[in-house]
Amino acid sequence: MRQLIHIFLSCLMLTSCSTAAALPETPPEHLVPAEQAAQILPEVPEPGRMPELFPLDQEAEEGAAPEEGSPAPETPVEPLPETQRVVDPTRPMVALTFDDGPHAVYTDQILDILEKNGAVATFFEVARNLPKAPDAVRRAVDLGCEIGSHSYRHANLGKMDQAAQQADQAAADAIFQEVLGTTPTLLRPPYGSMNKTLKTTCGRSIVTWSIDTEDWLSKDADKVVASVQNAGNLDGQVILLHSIYGSTVEATEVLVPWLLEQGYQLVTISELIQLRFGDQVEPNRSYNYDYFRFHVPPLPAATEPAAA
Ligand SMILES: [Zn+2]
Protein backbone atom coordinates (compact mmCIF):
# COMPACT_ATOMS: atom_id res chain seq x y z
CA MET A 1 0.00 0.00 0.00
CA ARG A 2 2.81 2.40 0.84
CA GLN A 3 4.21 1.88 -2.60
CA LEU A 4 0.87 2.51 -4.20
CA ILE A 5 0.47 5.70 -2.23
CA HIS A 6 3.97 6.72 -3.24
CA ILE A 7 3.16 6.21 -6.90
CA PHE A 8 -0.07 8.08 -6.43
CA LEU A 9 1.74 10.98 -4.78
CA SER A 10 4.31 11.05 -7.54
CA CYS A 11 1.49 11.21 -10.03
CA LEU A 12 -0.11 14.06 -8.15
CA MET A 13 3.12 16.03 -7.90
CA LEU A 14 3.79 15.74 -11.59
CA THR A 15 0.26 16.76 -12.40
CA SER A 16 0.61 19.77 -10.16
CA CYS A 17 3.54 20.89 -12.28
CA SER A 18 1.56 20.61 -15.45
CA THR A 19 -0.79 23.15 -16.78
CA ALA A 20 -4.18 24.26 -17.84
CA ALA A 21 -3.42 22.73 -21.21
CA ALA A 22 -3.00 19.34 -19.63
CA LEU A 23 -5.59 19.21 -16.95
CA PRO A 24 -5.12 16.82 -14.08
CA GLU A 25 -6.65 13.51 -14.81
CA THR A 26 -9.24 12.07 -12.54
CA PRO A 27 -7.34 10.72 -9.54
CA PRO A 28 -7.07 6.95 -9.66
CA GLU A 29 -9.24 6.49 -6.61
CA HIS A 30 -8.95 2.75 -6.68
CA LEU A 31 -5.37 3.10 -5.48
CA VAL A 32 -6.22 4.63 -2.13
CA PRO A 33 -9.25 4.25 0.11
CA ALA A 34 -11.28 7.43 0.07
CA GLU A 35 -10.66 8.40 3.68
CA GLN A 36 -6.92 8.05 3.20
CA ALA A 37 -7.01 9.94 -0.05
CA ALA A 38 -8.65 12.82 1.78
CA GLN A 39 -5.71 12.90 4.15
CA ILE A 40 -2.93 12.86 1.63
CA LEU A 41 -4.43 14.92 -1.14
CA PRO A 42 -4.87 18.62 -1.41
CA GLU A 43 -7.83 19.49 -3.56
CA VAL A 44 -7.31 18.77 -7.22
CA PRO A 45 -6.42 22.04 -8.98
CA GLU A 46 -9.19 23.48 -11.10
CA PRO A 47 -8.69 24.27 -14.77
CA GLY A 48 -6.97 27.58 -15.30
CA ARG A 49 -5.96 27.89 -11.71
CA MET A 50 -2.28 28.07 -10.89
CA PRO A 51 -1.50 25.02 -8.83
CA GLU A 52 1.11 24.69 -6.11
CA LEU A 53 2.94 27.95 -6.48
CA PHE A 54 1.45 29.96 -3.71
CA PRO A 55 1.37 28.73 -0.16
CA LEU A 56 1.14 25.06 -0.85
CA ASP A 57 1.20 23.91 2.70
CA GLN A 58 -1.97 25.67 3.68
CA GLU A 59 -3.81 24.12 0.82
CA ALA A 60 -2.57 20.68 1.76
CA GLU A 61 -3.68 21.20 5.32
CA GLU A 62 -7.13 22.33 4.29
CA GLY A 63 -7.49 19.23 2.20
CA ALA A 64 -6.28 17.12 5.07
CA ALA A 65 -8.97 18.13 7.53
CA PRO A 66 -10.70 14.87 8.42
CA GLU A 67 -14.44 14.64 8.52
CA GLU A 68 -15.78 14.74 12.01
CA GLY A 69 -16.40 11.34 13.40
CA SER A 70 -14.49 9.56 10.65
CA PRO A 71 -12.37 6.73 11.96
CA ALA A 72 -8.61 7.12 12.07
CA PRO A 73 -6.95 5.36 9.15
CA GLU A 74 -5.46 2.03 10.06
CA THR A 75 -2.38 2.38 7.88
CA PRO A 76 0.05 5.26 8.40
CA VAL A 77 -0.07 7.64 5.47
CA GLU A 78 3.06 9.21 4.08
CA PRO A 79 2.90 12.97 4.55
CA LEU A 80 3.10 15.31 1.60
CA PRO A 81 6.65 16.41 0.91
CA GLU A 82 7.63 19.39 3.02
CA THR A 83 8.06 22.34 0.77
CA GLN A 84 8.28 26.02 1.48
CA ARG A 85 8.92 26.97 -2.10
CA VAL A 86 7.01 29.98 -3.33
CA VAL A 87 7.55 31.63 -6.71
CA ASP A 88 7.40 35.44 -6.73
CA PRO A 89 6.18 36.65 -10.16
CA THR A 90 7.79 40.05 -9.59
CA ARG A 91 11.31 38.62 -9.46
CA PRO A 92 13.57 37.22 -12.23
CA MET A 93 13.41 33.50 -13.05
CA VAL A 94 15.63 30.96 -14.75
CA ALA A 95 14.87 27.37 -15.75
CA LEU A 96 17.69 24.85 -15.59
CA THR A 97 17.08 21.84 -17.84
CA PHE A 98 18.93 18.53 -17.83
CA ASP A 99 18.64 16.23 -20.85
CA ASP A 100 19.53 12.64 -21.73
CA GLY A 101 19.13 11.05 -18.30
CA PRO A 102 18.33 9.66 -15.96
CA HIS A 103 21.83 8.63 -14.98
CA ALA A 104 22.39 6.01 -12.28
CA VAL A 105 24.74 8.30 -10.33
CA TYR A 106 24.63 11.87 -11.62
CA THR A 107 20.87 12.42 -11.52
CA ASP A 108 20.82 11.93 -7.75
CA GLN A 109 23.88 14.14 -7.34
CA ILE A 110 22.12 16.93 -9.25
CA LEU A 111 19.04 16.43 -7.10
CA ASP A 112 21.19 16.66 -3.96
CA ILE A 113 22.41 20.08 -5.14
CA LEU A 114 18.91 21.27 -5.98
CA GLU A 115 17.49 20.02 -2.69
CA LYS A 116 20.30 21.60 -0.66
CA ASN A 117 19.54 24.96 -2.30
CA GLY A 118 15.75 24.70 -2.26
CA ALA A 119 15.75 24.82 -6.05
CA VAL A 120 14.07 22.85 -8.84
CA ALA A 121 14.83 22.03 -12.46
CA THR A 122 13.28 20.24 -15.42
CA PHE A 123 14.61 16.87 -16.54
CA PHE A 124 14.01 15.80 -20.14
CA GLU A 125 14.51 12.08 -19.81
CA VAL A 126 15.15 9.49 -22.49
CA ALA A 127 12.40 7.01 -21.69
CA ARG A 128 14.42 3.87 -22.20
CA ASN A 129 16.91 5.16 -19.60
CA LEU A 130 14.25 5.35 -16.89
CA PRO A 131 14.78 1.77 -15.67
CA LYS A 132 18.41 2.73 -14.91
CA ALA A 133 17.31 5.11 -12.16
CA PRO A 134 13.54 5.04 -11.58
CA ASP A 135 13.89 6.10 -7.94
CA ALA A 136 15.86 9.19 -8.95
CA VAL A 137 13.12 10.22 -11.37
CA ARG A 138 10.45 9.75 -8.71
CA ARG A 139 12.62 11.69 -6.26
CA ALA A 140 12.85 14.55 -8.77
CA VAL A 141 9.07 14.72 -8.90
CA ASP A 142 8.84 14.61 -5.11
CA LEU A 143 11.24 17.57 -4.92
CA GLY A 144 8.98 19.62 -7.20
CA CYS A 145 11.00 19.15 -10.36
CA GLU A 146 9.29 18.66 -13.71
CA ILE A 147 9.81 15.65 -15.96
CA GLY A 148 9.57 16.02 -19.73
CA SER A 149 10.12 13.48 -22.48
CA HIS A 150 13.26 13.41 -24.59
CA SER A 151 11.83 10.62 -26.75
CA TYR A 152 12.03 6.88 -26.27
CA ARG A 153 15.56 6.32 -27.56
CA HIS A 154 16.97 9.78 -28.29
CA ALA A 155 15.48 9.63 -31.74
CA ASN A 156 15.77 12.30 -34.43
CA LEU A 157 12.04 13.02 -34.45
CA GLY A 158 12.41 15.72 -37.10
CA LYS A 159 13.33 13.08 -39.66
CA MET A 160 10.38 10.83 -38.88
CA ASP A 161 6.89 10.69 -40.32
CA GLN A 162 3.87 10.92 -38.10
CA ALA A 163 3.47 7.17 -37.65
CA ALA A 164 7.07 6.77 -36.50
CA GLN A 165 6.80 9.78 -34.20
CA GLN A 166 3.67 8.38 -32.62
CA ALA A 167 5.23 4.95 -32.21
CA ASP A 168 8.21 6.52 -30.44
CA GLN A 169 5.92 8.52 -28.21
CA ALA A 170 3.77 5.51 -27.35
CA ALA A 171 6.84 3.49 -26.39
CA ALA A 172 8.11 6.37 -24.26
CA ASP A 173 4.74 6.96 -22.61
CA ALA A 174 4.45 3.32 -21.58
CA ILE A 175 7.67 3.62 -19.57
CA PHE A 176 6.87 7.01 -18.07
CA GLN A 177 3.48 5.63 -17.05
CA GLU A 178 5.04 2.60 -15.44
CA VAL A 179 7.62 4.57 -13.47
CA LEU A 180 5.69 7.73 -12.62
CA GLY A 181 2.05 6.79 -13.06
CA THR A 182 1.63 9.59 -15.59
CA THR A 183 2.96 10.76 -18.94
CA PRO A 184 4.85 13.99 -19.67
CA THR A 185 3.13 17.02 -21.17
CA LEU A 186 6.47 18.50 -22.29
CA LEU A 187 8.61 17.18 -25.14
CA ARG A 188 12.15 18.26 -25.94
CA PRO A 189 13.05 16.69 -29.28
CA PRO A 190 16.61 15.33 -29.30
CA TYR A 191 19.02 17.63 -31.20
CA GLY A 192 16.20 20.20 -31.18
CA SER A 193 15.14 18.43 -34.38
CA MET A 194 11.49 18.75 -35.31
CA ASN A 195 9.29 19.03 -38.37
CA LYS A 196 5.87 20.51 -38.98
CA THR A 197 4.16 17.19 -38.34
CA LEU A 198 5.72 16.89 -34.89
CA LYS A 199 4.92 20.51 -34.04
CA THR A 200 1.28 20.19 -35.00
CA THR A 201 0.35 16.63 -34.02
CA CYS A 202 2.48 15.44 -31.09
CA GLY A 203 -0.04 16.65 -28.53
CA ARG A 204 2.76 17.95 -26.30
CA SER A 205 4.34 21.30 -25.62
CA ILE A 206 7.66 21.36 -27.44
CA VAL A 207 10.33 23.13 -25.42
CA THR A 208 13.87 23.88 -26.58
CA TRP A 209 16.32 26.26 -24.86
CA SER A 210 17.92 29.70 -25.07
CA ILE A 211 21.31 29.25 -23.39
CA ASP A 212 23.42 26.35 -24.67
CA THR A 213 26.25 25.51 -22.27
CA GLU A 214 27.72 22.93 -24.69
CA ASP A 215 28.51 20.82 -21.63
CA TRP A 216 28.42 17.69 -23.82
CA LEU A 217 31.18 19.15 -25.98
CA SER A 218 33.58 20.61 -23.45
CA LYS A 219 32.98 18.23 -20.53
CA ASP A 220 34.68 21.00 -18.58
CA ALA A 221 32.92 22.37 -15.50
CA ASP A 222 34.70 25.74 -15.64
CA LYS A 223 33.66 26.31 -19.25
CA VAL A 224 30.06 25.35 -18.46
CA VAL A 225 29.96 27.76 -15.53
CA ALA A 226 31.52 30.53 -17.64
CA SER A 227 29.02 29.98 -20.45
CA VAL A 228 26.20 30.83 -18.05
CA GLN A 229 27.96 33.54 -16.08
CA ASN A 230 28.96 35.36 -19.29
CA ALA A 231 25.56 35.11 -20.97
CA GLY A 232 24.26 38.44 -19.72
CA ASN A 233 20.79 38.89 -18.31
CA LEU A 234 19.34 35.44 -17.65
CA ASP A 235 15.83 36.46 -16.64
CA GLY A 236 13.33 34.23 -18.45
CA GLN A 237 16.05 32.02 -19.92
CA VAL A 238 16.18 28.23 -20.33
CA ILE A 239 19.63 26.75 -19.77
CA LEU A 240 20.55 23.51 -21.53
CA LEU A 241 22.59 20.97 -19.56
CA HIS A 242 22.91 17.18 -19.61
CA SER A 243 22.61 14.96 -16.55
CA ILE A 244 25.05 12.34 -17.82
CA TYR A 245 28.42 14.04 -17.20
CA GLY A 246 30.35 14.41 -13.95
CA SER A 247 31.61 17.78 -15.21
CA THR A 248 28.01 18.98 -15.48
CA VAL A 249 27.36 17.95 -11.87
CA GLU A 250 30.43 19.98 -10.84
CA ALA A 251 29.18 22.96 -12.82
CA THR A 252 25.70 22.63 -11.28
CA GLU A 253 27.25 22.73 -7.80
CA VAL A 254 28.61 26.19 -8.66
CA LEU A 255 25.78 27.49 -10.82
CA VAL A 256 22.81 26.83 -8.56
CA PRO A 257 24.02 28.91 -5.60
CA TRP A 258 25.46 31.53 -7.98
CA LEU A 259 22.15 31.97 -9.78
CA LEU A 260 20.33 32.30 -6.46
CA GLU A 261 22.88 34.87 -5.26
CA GLN A 262 22.27 36.85 -8.46
CA GLY A 263 18.62 37.06 -7.48
CA TYR A 264 17.20 34.51 -9.91
CA GLN A 265 14.49 32.09 -8.82
CA LEU A 266 15.06 28.61 -10.19
CA VAL A 267 11.78 27.30 -11.57
CA THR A 268 10.46 24.53 -13.79
CA ILE A 269 9.63 25.09 -17.46
CA SER A 270 5.89 25.19 -16.79
CA GLU A 271 6.39 27.67 -13.97
CA LEU A 272 8.59 29.84 -16.18
CA ILE A 273 6.06 29.96 -19.02
CA GLN A 274 3.12 30.59 -16.74
CA LEU A 275 4.59 32.88 -14.11
CA ARG A 276 7.33 34.75 -15.95
CA PHE A 277 5.76 34.90 -19.41
CA GLY A 278 2.15 35.01 -18.18
CA ASP A 279 1.41 32.42 -20.82
CA GLN A 280 -0.13 28.98 -21.01
CA VAL A 281 1.65 25.71 -21.63
CA GLU A 282 -0.31 24.42 -24.60
CA PRO A 283 -0.09 21.21 -26.62
CA ASN A 284 1.09 21.36 -30.25
CA ARG A 285 2.90 24.62 -29.58
CA SER A 286 6.64 25.31 -29.60
CA TYR A 287 8.49 27.34 -26.98
CA ASN A 288 11.85 27.94 -28.60
CA TYR A 289 14.95 30.13 -28.58
CA ASP A 290 13.11 33.18 -29.93
CA TYR A 291 10.33 32.81 -27.39
CA PHE A 292 12.60 32.72 -24.34
CA ARG A 293 15.28 35.07 -25.67
CA PHE A 294 13.22 37.87 -27.14
CA HIS A 295 9.77 37.81 -25.60
CA VAL A 296 10.39 38.09 -21.89
CA PRO A 297 7.82 40.56 -20.61
CA PRO A 298 8.94 43.34 -18.26
CA LEU A 299 8.73 42.35 -14.63
CA PRO A 300 5.56 43.53 -12.94
CA ALA A 301 6.11 45.99 -10.13
CA ALA A 302 6.32 44.34 -6.74
CA THR A 303 3.19 45.00 -4.68
CA GLU A 304 3.81 47.23 -1.71
CA PRO A 305 3.10 45.58 1.61
CA ALA A 306 -0.18 46.81 3.02
CA ALA A 307 0.21 49.62 5.58
CA ALA A 308 -0.25 48.46 9.14
ZN1 LIG B 1 19.64 14.84 -25.90
mmCIF file of all heavy atoms in Angstrom, residues 148-177:
data_model
loop_
_atom_site.group_PDB
_atom_site.id
_atom_site.type_symbol
_atom_site.label_atom_id
_atom_site.label_comp_id
_atom_site.label_asym_id
_atom_site.label_seq_id
_atom_site.Cartn_x
_atom_site.Cartn_y
_atom_site.Cartn_z
ATOM 1 N N GLY A 148 10.032 15.993 -18.341
ATOM 2 C CA GLY A 148 9.567 16.018 -19.725
ATOM 3 C C GLY A 148 10.146 14.831 -20.472
ATOM 4 O O GLY A 148 11.063 14.152 -19.991
ATOM 5 N N SER A 149 9.615 14.590 -21.655
ATOM 6 C CA SER A 149 10.116 13.483 -22.479
ATOM 7 C C SER A 149 11.199 13.978 -23.432
ATOM 8 O O SER A 149 11.123 15.081 -23.975
ATOM 9 C CB SER A 149 8.966 12.875 -23.290
ATOM 10 O OG SER A 149 9.485 11.887 -24.170
ATOM 11 N N HIS A 150 12.198 13.135 -23.614
ATOM 12 C CA HIS A 150 13.262 13.405 -24.587
ATOM 13 C C HIS A 150 13.279 12.245 -25.585
ATOM 14 O O HIS A 150 14.339 11.829 -26.038
ATOM 15 C CB HIS A 150 14.592 13.547 -23.837
ATOM 16 C CG HIS A 150 15.687 14.233 -24.596
ATOM 17 N ND1 HIS A 150 15.504 15.387 -25.322
ATOM 18 C CD2 HIS A 150 17.009 13.940 -24.737
ATOM 19 C CE1 HIS A 150 16.653 15.755 -25.863
ATOM 20 N NE2 HIS A 150 17.573 14.886 -25.544
ATOM 21 N N SER A 151 12.093 11.734 -25.844
ATOM 22 C CA SER A 151 11.830 10.619 -26.751
ATOM 23 C C SER A 151 12.144 9.273 -26.106
ATOM 24 O O SER A 151 12.670 9.225 -24.994
ATOM 25 C CB SER A 151 12.585 10.742 -28.083
ATOM 26 O OG SER A 151 13.890 10.207 -27.981
ATOM 27 N N TYR A 152 11.804 8.218 -26.812
ATOM 28 C CA TYR A 152 12.033 6.879 -26.268
ATOM 29 C C TYR A 152 13.519 6.515 -26.296
ATOM 30 O O TYR A 152 14.066 6.016 -25.334
ATOM 31 C CB TYR A 152 11.222 5.848 -27.067
ATOM 32 C CG TYR A 152 11.584 4.435 -26.683
ATOM 33 C CD1 TYR A 152 11.218 3.923 -25.447
ATOM 34 C CD2 TYR A 152 12.309 3.620 -27.556
ATOM 35 C CE1 TYR A 152 11.562 2.633 -25.075
ATOM 36 C CE2 TYR A 152 12.658 2.331 -27.192
ATOM 37 C CZ TYR A 152 12.286 1.843 -25.950
ATOM 38 O OH TYR A 152 12.636 0.581 -25.583
ATOM 39 N N ARG A 153 14.167 6.796 -27.423
ATOM 40 C CA ARG A 153 15.558 6.317 -27.560
ATOM 41 C C ARG A 153 16.469 7.407 -28.133
ATOM 42 O O ARG A 153 17.377 7.111 -28.890
ATOM 43 C CB ARG A 153 15.599 5.086 -28.466
ATOM 44 C CG ARG A 153 14.953 5.313 -29.839
ATOM 45 C CD ARG A 153 15.153 4.150 -30.784
ATOM 46 N NE ARG A 153 14.486 4.380 -32.049
ATOM 47 C CZ ARG A 153 15.007 5.064 -33.053
ATOM 48 N NH1 ARG A 153 16.194 5.596 -32.948
ATOM 49 N NH2 ARG A 153 14.320 5.226 -34.174
ATOM 50 N N HIS A 154 16.206 8.642 -27.766
ATOM 51 C CA HIS A 154 16.969 9.783 -28.287
ATOM 52 C C HIS A 154 16.893 9.803 -29.818
ATOM 53 O O HIS A 154 17.903 9.965 -30.523
ATOM 54 C CB HIS A 154 18.429 9.755 -27.818
ATOM 55 C CG HIS A 154 19.012 11.140 -27.699
ATOM 56 N ND1 HIS A 154 19.651 11.768 -28.730
ATOM 57 C CD2 HIS A 154 19.016 12.028 -26.681
ATOM 58 C CE1 HIS A 154 20.035 12.976 -28.346
ATOM 59 N NE2 HIS A 154 19.656 13.161 -27.108
ATOM 60 N N ALA A 155 15.689 9.699 -30.298
ATOM 61 C CA ALA A 155 15.479 9.632 -31.745
ATOM 62 C C ALA A 155 15.509 11.018 -32.380
ATOM 63 O O ALA A 155 15.218 12.019 -31.739
ATOM 64 C CB ALA A 155 14.118 8.996 -32.002
ATOM 65 N N ASN A 156 15.845 11.060 -33.656
ATOM 66 C CA ASN A 156 15.767 12.295 -34.431
ATOM 67 C C ASN A 156 14.336 12.428 -34.963
ATOM 68 O O ASN A 156 14.028 12.037 -36.085
ATOM 69 C CB ASN A 156 16.779 12.248 -35.572
ATOM 70 C CG ASN A 156 16.893 13.598 -36.265
ATOM 71 O OD1 ASN A 156 15.936 14.390 -36.258
ATOM 72 N ND2 ASN A 156 18.040 13.867 -36.849
ATOM 73 N N LEU A 157 13.474 12.982 -34.139
ATOM 74 C CA LEU A 157 12.040 13.016 -34.453
ATOM 75 C C LEU A 157 11.750 13.859 -35.691
ATOM 76 O O LEU A 157 10.769 13.623 -36.388
ATOM 77 C CB LEU A 157 11.260 13.566 -33.257
ATOM 78 C CG LEU A 157 11.359 12.744 -31.961
ATOM 79 C CD1 LEU A 157 10.657 13.472 -30.813
ATOM 80 C CD2 LEU A 157 10.741 11.363 -32.143
ATOM 81 N N GLY A 158 12.618 14.849 -35.953
ATOM 82 C CA GLY A 158 12.406 15.725 -37.104
ATOM 83 C C GLY A 158 12.575 15.017 -38.437
ATOM 84 O O GLY A 158 12.183 15.543 -39.477
ATOM 85 N N LYS A 159 13.161 13.834 -38.414
ATOM 86 C CA LYS A 159 13.333 13.076 -39.661
ATOM 87 C C LYS A 159 12.321 11.944 -39.767
ATOM 88 O O LYS A 159 12.430 11.095 -40.663
ATOM 89 C CB LYS A 159 14.751 12.510 -39.719
ATOM 90 C CG LYS A 159 15.786 13.602 -39.879
ATOM 91 C CD LYS A 159 17.125 13.064 -40.346
ATOM 92 C CE LYS A 159 18.050 14.222 -40.717
ATOM 93 N NZ LYS A 159 19.413 13.781 -40.949
ATOM 94 N N MET A 160 11.366 11.917 -38.873
ATOM 95 C CA MET A 160 10.378 10.826 -38.883
ATOM 96 C C MET A 160 9.040 11.310 -39.424
ATOM 97 O O MET A 160 8.705 12.490 -39.310
ATOM 98 C CB MET A 160 10.143 10.328 -37.451
ATOM 99 C CG MET A 160 11.294 9.577 -36.841
ATOM 100 S SD MET A 160 10.784 9.082 -35.164
ATOM 101 C CE MET A 160 12.170 8.060 -34.723
ATOM 102 N N ASP A 161 8.272 10.360 -39.959
ATOM 103 C CA ASP A 161 6.894 10.691 -40.324
ATOM 104 C C ASP A 161 6.009 10.538 -39.082
ATOM 105 O O ASP A 161 6.464 10.095 -38.018
ATOM 106 C CB ASP A 161 6.403 9.845 -41.502
ATOM 107 C CG ASP A 161 6.361 8.356 -41.176
ATOM 108 O OD1 ASP A 161 6.398 7.994 -39.984
ATOM 109 O OD2 ASP A 161 6.294 7.549 -42.132
ATOM 110 N N GLN A 162 4.755 10.882 -39.260
ATOM 111 C CA GLN A 162 3.868 10.923 -38.096
ATOM 112 C C GLN A 162 3.731 9.554 -37.429
ATOM 113 O O GLN A 162 3.727 9.454 -36.192
ATOM 114 C CB GLN A 162 2.485 11.446 -38.499
ATOM 115 C CG GLN A 162 1.583 11.669 -37.296
ATOM 116 C CD GLN A 162 0.222 12.212 -37.685
ATOM 117 O OE1 GLN A 162 -0.081 12.383 -38.870
ATOM 118 N NE2 GLN A 162 -0.614 12.476 -36.699
ATOM 119 N N ALA A 163 3.647 8.511 -38.232
ATOM 120 C CA ALA A 163 3.475 7.172 -37.651
ATOM 121 C C ALA A 163 4.676 6.803 -36.779
ATOM 122 O O ALA A 163 4.518 6.273 -35.670
ATOM 123 C CB ALA A 163 3.280 6.143 -38.765
ATOM 124 N N ALA A 164 5.870 7.105 -37.272
ATOM 125 C CA ALA A 164 7.072 6.772 -36.503
ATOM 126 C C ALA A 164 7.167 7.638 -35.244
ATOM 127 O O ALA A 164 7.555 7.165 -34.176
ATOM 128 C CB ALA A 164 8.312 6.951 -37.374
ATOM 129 N N GLN A 165 6.796 8.911 -35.382
ATOM 130 C CA GLN A 165 6.799 9.783 -34.197
ATOM 131 C C GLN A 165 5.841 9.263 -33.136
ATOM 132 O O GLN A 165 6.155 9.231 -31.940
ATOM 133 C CB GLN A 165 6.395 11.213 -34.596
ATOM 134 C CG GLN A 165 7.461 11.946 -35.403
ATOM 135 C CD GLN A 165 6.931 13.221 -36.056
ATOM 136 O OE1 GLN A 165 5.741 13.537 -35.963
ATOM 137 N NE2 GLN A 165 7.812 13.949 -36.727
ATOM 138 N N GLN A 166 4.669 8.846 -33.589
ATOM 139 C CA GLN A 166 3.671 8.380 -32.617
ATOM 140 C C GLN A 166 4.087 7.052 -31.991
ATOM 141 O O GLN A 166 3.800 6.797 -30.816
ATOM 142 C CB GLN A 166 2.297 8.293 -33.272
ATOM 143 C CG GLN A 166 1.761 9.700 -33.572
ATOM 144 C CD GLN A 166 0.327 9.720 -34.049
ATOM 145 O OE1 GLN A 166 -0.232 8.680 -34.405
ATOM 146 N NE2 GLN A 166 -0.273 10.891 -34.059
ATOM 147 N N ALA A 167 4.755 6.223 -32.770
ATOM 148 C CA ALA A 167 5.230 4.952 -32.215
ATOM 149 C C ALA A 167 6.288 5.220 -31.143
ATOM 150 O O ALA A 167 6.292 4.589 -30.075
ATOM 151 C CB ALA A 167 5.800 4.072 -33.327
ATOM 152 N N ASP A 168 7.182 6.154 -31.425
ATOM 153 C CA ASP A 168 8.210 6.516 -30.436
ATOM 154 C C ASP A 168 7.554 7.053 -29.169
ATOM 155 O O ASP A 168 7.914 6.667 -28.050
ATOM 156 C CB ASP A 168 9.154 7.566 -31.031
ATOM 157 C CG ASP A 168 10.249 7.955 -30.046
ATOM 158 O OD1 ASP A 168 9.978 8.773 -29.144
ATOM 159 O OD2 ASP A 168 11.384 7.427 -30.166
ATOM 160 N N GLN A 169 6.589 7.912 -29.367
ATOM 161 C CA GLN A 169 5.924 8.524 -28.215
ATOM 162 C C GLN A 169 5.163 7.482 -27.397
ATOM 163 O O GLN A 169 5.176 7.528 -26.157
ATOM 164 C CB GLN A 169 4.964 9.615 -28.697
ATOM 165 C CG GLN A 169 4.352 10.422 -27.583
ATOM 166 C CD GLN A 169 3.839 11.768 -28.099
ATOM 167 O OE1 GLN A 169 4.606 12.629 -28.518
ATOM 168 N NE2 GLN A 169 2.544 11.927 -28.089
ATOM 169 N N ALA A 170 4.522 6.552 -28.066
ATOM 170 C CA ALA A 170 3.774 5.514 -27.345
ATOM 171 C C ALA A 170 4.722 4.635 -26.526
ATOM 172 O O ALA A 170 4.425 4.282 -25.376
ATOM 173 C CB ALA A 170 2.980 4.662 -28.339
ATOM 174 N N ALA A 171 5.864 4.308 -27.113
ATOM 175 C CA ALA A 171 6.841 3.488 -26.394
ATOM 176 C C ALA A 171 7.365 4.255 -25.180
ATOM 177 O O ALA A 171 7.535 3.685 -24.088
ATOM 178 C CB ALA A 171 7.989 3.112 -27.331
ATOM 179 N N ALA A 172 7.631 5.546 -25.372
ATOM 180 C CA ALA A 172 8.113 6.367 -24.258
ATOM 181 C C ALA A 172 7.047 6.477 -23.169
ATOM 182 O O ALA A 172 7.326 6.290 -21.981
ATOM 183 C CB ALA A 172 8.504 7.754 -24.760
ATOM 184 N N ASP A 173 5.821 6.765 -23.588
ATOM 185 C CA ASP A 173 4.744 6.963 -22.610
ATOM 186 C C ASP A 173 4.530 5.729 -21.744
ATOM 187 O O ASP A 173 4.235 5.835 -20.553
ATOM 188 C CB ASP A 173 3.437 7.315 -23.325
ATOM 189 C CG ASP A 173 3.389 8.782 -23.719
ATOM 190 O OD1 ASP A 173 4.340 9.518 -23.378
ATOM 191 O OD2 ASP A 173 2.406 9.179 -24.369
ATOM 192 N N ALA A 174 4.676 4.550 -22.341
ATOM 193 C CA ALA A 174 4.455 3.324 -21.576
ATOM 194 C C ALA A 174 5.431 3.251 -20.406
ATOM 195 O O ALA A 174 5.068 2.835 -19.299
ATOM 196 C CB ALA A 174 4.610 2.110 -22.491
ATOM 197 N N ILE A 175 6.666 3.689 -20.644
ATOM 198 C CA ILE A 175 7.667 3.617 -19.568
ATOM 199 C C ILE A 175 7.442 4.726 -18.543
ATOM 200 O O ILE A 175 7.525 4.495 -17.337
ATOM 201 C CB ILE A 175 9.083 3.690 -20.169
ATOM 202 C CG1 ILE A 175 9.302 2.491 -21.083
ATOM 203 C CG2 ILE A 175 10.130 3.709 -19.069
ATOM 204 C CD1 ILE A 175 10.684 2.405 -21.691
ATOM 205 N N PHE A 176 7.163 5.930 -19.020
ATOM 206 C CA PHE A 176 6.866 7.006 -18.072
ATOM 207 C C PHE A 176 5.678 6.621 -17.186
ATOM 208 O O PHE A 176 5.679 6.848 -15.975
ATOM 209 C CB PHE A 176 6.555 8.319 -18.811
ATOM 210 C CG PHE A 176 7.783 9.039 -19.296
ATOM 211 C CD1 PHE A 176 8.071 9.109 -20.649
ATOM 212 C CD2 PHE A 176 8.655 9.647 -18.404
ATOM 213 C CE1 PHE A 176 9.207 9.773 -21.108
ATOM 214 C CE2 PHE A 176 9.790 10.318 -18.851
ATOM 215 C CZ PHE A 176 10.067 10.378 -20.206
ATOM 216 N N GLN A 177 4.672 6.037 -17.804
ATOM 217 C CA GLN A 177 3.475 5.633 -17.051
ATOM 218 C C GLN A 177 3.838 4.594 -15.996
ATOM 219 O O GLN A 177 3.374 4.658 -14.858
ATOM 220 C CB GLN A 177 2.432 5.071 -18.028
ATOM 221 C CG GLN A 177 1.102 4.691 -17.392
ATOM 222 C CD GLN A 177 0.297 5.905 -16.938
ATOM 223 O OE1 GLN A 177 0.244 6.920 -17.636
ATOM 224 N NE2 GLN A 177 -0.312 5.827 -15.763
#
